[in-house]
Amino acid sequence: MNNKSGVKPPTKAEQALNSVEASHKAVSAAEEHPSGQLIDQADRSLRHAEAAVAQAHESGSEEAALRAEAQLRKDEEVLGSN
């Protein structure tokens, strides 16, 4: 990746929070319009977010990882109820 612009890449904690936010949007879309495609997309997004949260834990970003994980669990419950 070329980083000549001087912008720092996101930290593992930021990546986890961004991923959980994206999965939250995917779950909300699947909840509002429950189709097989949107539910599958939300499920994939949740799995991706779980991996990002695990990496945040491994990097020592416990506070952010725990916040992200709490939202992730709520979204998993919502998706599981559809």
Side-chain angles (χ1 to χ4, degrees):
M1 175 183 248
N2 192 350
N3 196 10
K4 290 183 180 181
S5 65
V7 177
K8 287 185 177 180
T11 65
K12 295 294 183 189
E14 291 168 333
Q15 289 175 346
L17 292 169
N18 290 341
S19 185
V20 168
E21 183 178 334
S23 69
H24 178 70
K25 290 177 183 178
V27 168
S28 294
E31 184 179 28
E32 290 175 22
H33 307 286
S35 69
Q37 181 180 1
L38 287 178
I39 291 170
D40 288 346
Q41 183 178 351
D43 185 55
R44 282 191 305 275
S45 185
L46 285 170
R47 284 182 291 172
H48 178 81
E50 286 175 353
V53 168
Q55 287 183 353
H57 276 297
E58 290 171 8
S59 73
S61 304
E62 285 302 310
E63 184 178 334
L66 291 173
R67 274 196 335 260
E69 193 169 31
Q71 181 62 52
L72 187 61
R73 297 298 163 236
K74 290 178 188 176
D75 289 335
E76 287 174 334
E77 287 179 24
V78 168
L79 189 63
S81 67
N82 279 333

